[in-house]
Amino acid sequence: MQSQDVAPRPASSRVQKSVVDVEQAEAALVEHYPRLVRLAYLTLPPSLGRNRRVLTAHALTQRALPRGRKAASLIPAQATETGTGTGTGAVAGRERNPGYAFVRLQVFRTALEAGLPLRRKAWPKRSQLPPLLPRVWGLRLSPRSGGADELALDQRLSALTSPARAAYVLRGLEKLPDPAIRTLLEEAGVDNPAAALKEADSVSAQQYALLSSPEYDPCSLHARPTDLMRRRQHVKAAQAATAAVVVCGALLGLPGEGWGPDGAAAPPYARNPAAQAALDPGKLTTATATAWQTTGRTDFTTWPARGDLTGDKALLRRALAVWARPGDSVQVAVTLGTQAGPPPGPPQLLYAGKVDNLRVVLLHDGLRIARYAEPLVDPGMAALDLTRVDGAAGAGASALVLGRSDGNVRYLTAPWVREAAVRDLAKPDAAVRKLALTKDGTTAPFGSPAVRTGECRSWDVLQLTDATRGTRLLTDLSEVTPAHLTVGRPSTASPGRDASAAPAAWAPFACSLAAVRSQGVRTVNAWQFARQPLPDGSGTADWVCTRTETWRGAGTRALTQFNTPAGAYITAAAAEVPACGPADRHVLAAGPWKSATGDSYLLAAGSKDTVSVELTGGASASASGNLLAVPAEEGAQAELKGTLANGREIKGLQSAR
């Protein structure tokens, strides 16, 4: 759509002249900087690309201060009034701040100017040019990728004019009433604010909450390299051009026909056959429908290609090309520890089909899963998710996330899966709800705890039953691969047995899974390692260790939690330790506890092969066996150590504070 013209306009009766000094404006800019940058980013035209939008948003915000020590500026009246109709106290507080109103007006004015088309007979405005500062060399920056909802909203916003986008953002983020928005747009130079407001009505107000998502946060960024091969070629070309006059004669006199400092390697512009094959949809590999049965393997290599678009060569070509060289309009999300480069050769096709309002392609290159998604109506925009799955088998290769939309998640299940269901992990006694499973292994959508906000009251997980009647519990943690939930003491071969064997063990700790979203988690195990009578005789409490294992190996985390009749709480936490895992199947922890009468204690417990426990420091005591309880002042800290049956001494996990 054509951008509306933005030009200076005289003040209306709803604006007043207010003097804002630079210190007042600077204080407001520093305090609300992330919010102002987000406003600029959302108003800028998406055609600039995500990297340039990020840098331009920061540049426009940083240039929003008055030019002199003080500035007499026309500021919308609602900025200096009590903020009637602005909603929450935080909103009203911003609206009463003339400094904030001034810098916000400047941000919108320059962001709207940046969306104007360049004219041949007029000098471009500074905001229409790439920013000089901030400047980033060798990296492409972009906000964190969102889900299908954010992608759909971004598509709708890109179809609006810049003034209409500004109006929608002012409604959704700033919570301003339409009269105040009309006044602000007039002062920003919009010719027809009423038309902008009417155009903004075409995007649903139900999407306002998405404007606060990480997808639109230019202060929380992913960094990826630019086109390394092209950059290397440009550098080499510049160096060659600079040195040509000096070395030309010498080169003509050199004997032989060697390649130079790269030895026998081809020149950088030569086409690599394997790299070219990786971009050819005709060379994608596929598995047969019965490969998992004939080979006995239950991993991604035996997944057949499924979906209604496996024959769409144009779609597959776009997916492969975006994987190899994602452009500025591609939302890229790479799981921690995953390489972001193109596939080394032709990958395996797992799925290509329509999922809600997207076309989705799943590819496997032996080490990683690539999920490509594009809107049905605009293939010029796309999202790419990469996650490592090396060594995935059994439960780790049982399902992949096809898409998330409207707070729901939809999975593609392995060919050996026969039934699917939904279980509320926080309510083990609740009925297990059967989940529809299509012929090609796609589940019906259900609520995903990974995209939910607010208080956690439930945690729905996917329960799968395979051809051998074995069951698996998997949970969505905001990545392509769901995490496998297990219970019990870890063994040298596995973290524990599947959580479906004892779902009640997870119930008190289900909501704690929110803390490990987007961390590349492979499995999470809950191990009840001790049960302790409470000192006042009011009952017993369980000591449970939950441990996360990641696909990359590093990033493991162990938590000990004390589950009392009054509720569960974390007592200790440690990262990158072997305790409570397959490498060290022992754990020792301590934590405070207060009785109903107000008496304070320090309680400690170890796994069953602990023969003695000792506390020193803020509380001193020792006991034979794996349990210890001692009266202590509230907040007392003590050192904890124990002895195993084989004589080995172990230390307690670090206390959670």
Side-chain angles (χ1 to χ4, degrees), residues 451-473:
V451 297
R452 183 177 52 208
T453 58
E455 184 180 0
C456 177
R457 297 181 179 273
S458 63
W459 194 277
D460 285 347
V461 297
L462 177 67
Q463 178 173 295
L464 298 180
T465 304
D466 60 27
T468 63
R469 309 307 297 176
T471 55
R472 303 283 187 267
L473 289 188

Side-chain angles (χ1 to χ4, degrees), residues 225-583:
T226 54
D227 192 328
L228 298 179
M229 289 301 299
R230 183 180 300 174
R231 192 169 73 193
R232 179 184 298 178
Q233 293 169 21
H234 288 175
V235 171
K236 287 189 174 183
Q239 291 173 342
T242 303
V245 176
V246 178
V247 302
C248 185
L251 288 175
L252 291 173
L254 286 176
E257 298 180 358
W259 286 106
D262 289 334
Y269 52 80
R271 293 187 175 184
N272 181 277
Q276 290 299 114
L279 298 176
D280 185 354
K283 295 187 178 180
L284 287 171
T285 63
T286 57
T288 64
T290 58
W292 67 276
Q293 295 171 309
T294 56
T295 63
R297 298 177 59 169
T298 53
D299 55 28
F300 288 116
T301 64
T302 58
W303 278 38
R306 289 170 286 176
D308 56 351
L309 297 177
T310 54
D312 189 338
K313 298 299 183 184
L315 170 64
L316 300 178
R317 188 180 302 278
R318 290 195 298 273
L320 292 169
V322 167
W323 187 358
R325 50 181 194 282
D328 289 339
S329 63
V330 178
Q331 303 172 12
V332 181
V334 182
T335 300
L336 289 174
T338 303
Q339 296 297 319
Q348 177 187 353
L349 176 62
L350 304 181
Y351 181 88
K354 296 177 182 177
V355 180
D356 299 321
N357 59 346
L358 299 172
R359 298 184 191 90
V360 175
V361 178
L362 292 175
L363 300 165
H364 177 231
D365 71 350
L367 297 176
R368 299 167 297 171
I369 294 291
R371 176 185 176 273
Y372 170 85
E374 66 179 31
L376 293 176
V377 296
D378 184 9
M381 301 176 62
L384 177 68
D385 296 272
L386 294 172
T387 186
R388 63 184 295 175
V389 292
D390 42 314
S398 291
L400 293 172
V401 171
L402 275 179
R404 300 180 184 88
S405 179
D406 298 326
N408 297 320
V409 62
R410 191 190 298 270
Y411 291 94
L412 177 68
T413 60
W416 52 85
V417 170
R418 292 293 176 262
E419 296 176 6
V422 179
R423 178 189 288 273
D424 187 347
L425 201 63
K427 301 171 184 175
D429 297 330
V432 177
R433 311 188 305 272
K434 188 172 182 180
L435 190 65
L437 197 64
T438 65
K439 188 175 181 180
D440 68 355
T442 301
T443 69
F446 66 94
S448 170
V451 297
R452 183 177 52 208
T453 58
E455 184 180 0
C456 177
R457 297 181 179 273
S458 63
W459 194 277
D460 285 347
V461 297
L462 177 67
Q463 178 173 295
L464 298 180
T465 304
D466 60 27
T468 63
R469 309 307 297 176
T471 55
R472 303 283 187 267
L473 289 188
L474 306 172
T475 184
D476 183 15
L477 293 180
S478 300
E479 294 171 325
V480 176
T481 52
H484 181 208
L485 301 178
T486 58
V487 295
R489 185 177 186 179
S491 68
T492 54
S494 64
R497 67 187 189 279
D498 192 85
S500 59
W506 261 108
F509 319 109
C511 290
S512 66
L513 289 167
V516 293
R517 288 182 289 198
S518 302
Q519 299 297 312
V521 173
R522 183 173 189 166
T523 61
V524 190
N525 185 57
W527 171 29
Q528 179 189 320
F529 63 89
R531 175 166 289 176
Q532 184 169 20
L534 296 174
D536 65 349
S538 60
T540 60
D542 293 330
W543 287 91
V544 176
C545 180
T546 56
R547 180 181 173 90
T548 59
E549 303 285 348
T550 67
W551 288 100
R552 64 190 184 280
T556 58
R557 181 177 175 86
L559 299 174
T560 55
Q561 305 188 57
F562 197 44
N563 184 24
T564 71
Y569 55 92
I570 296 173
T571 63
E576 306 291 358
V577 296
C580 190

Side-chain angles (χ1 to χ4, degrees), residues 78 82-88 91-92 95 171 174-178 180:
Q78 90 280 350
T82 58
T84 301
T86 56
T88 66
V91 176
E95 298 309 316
R171 282 173 174 168
E174 296 293 271
K175 309 299 182 187
L176 294 183
D178 282 4

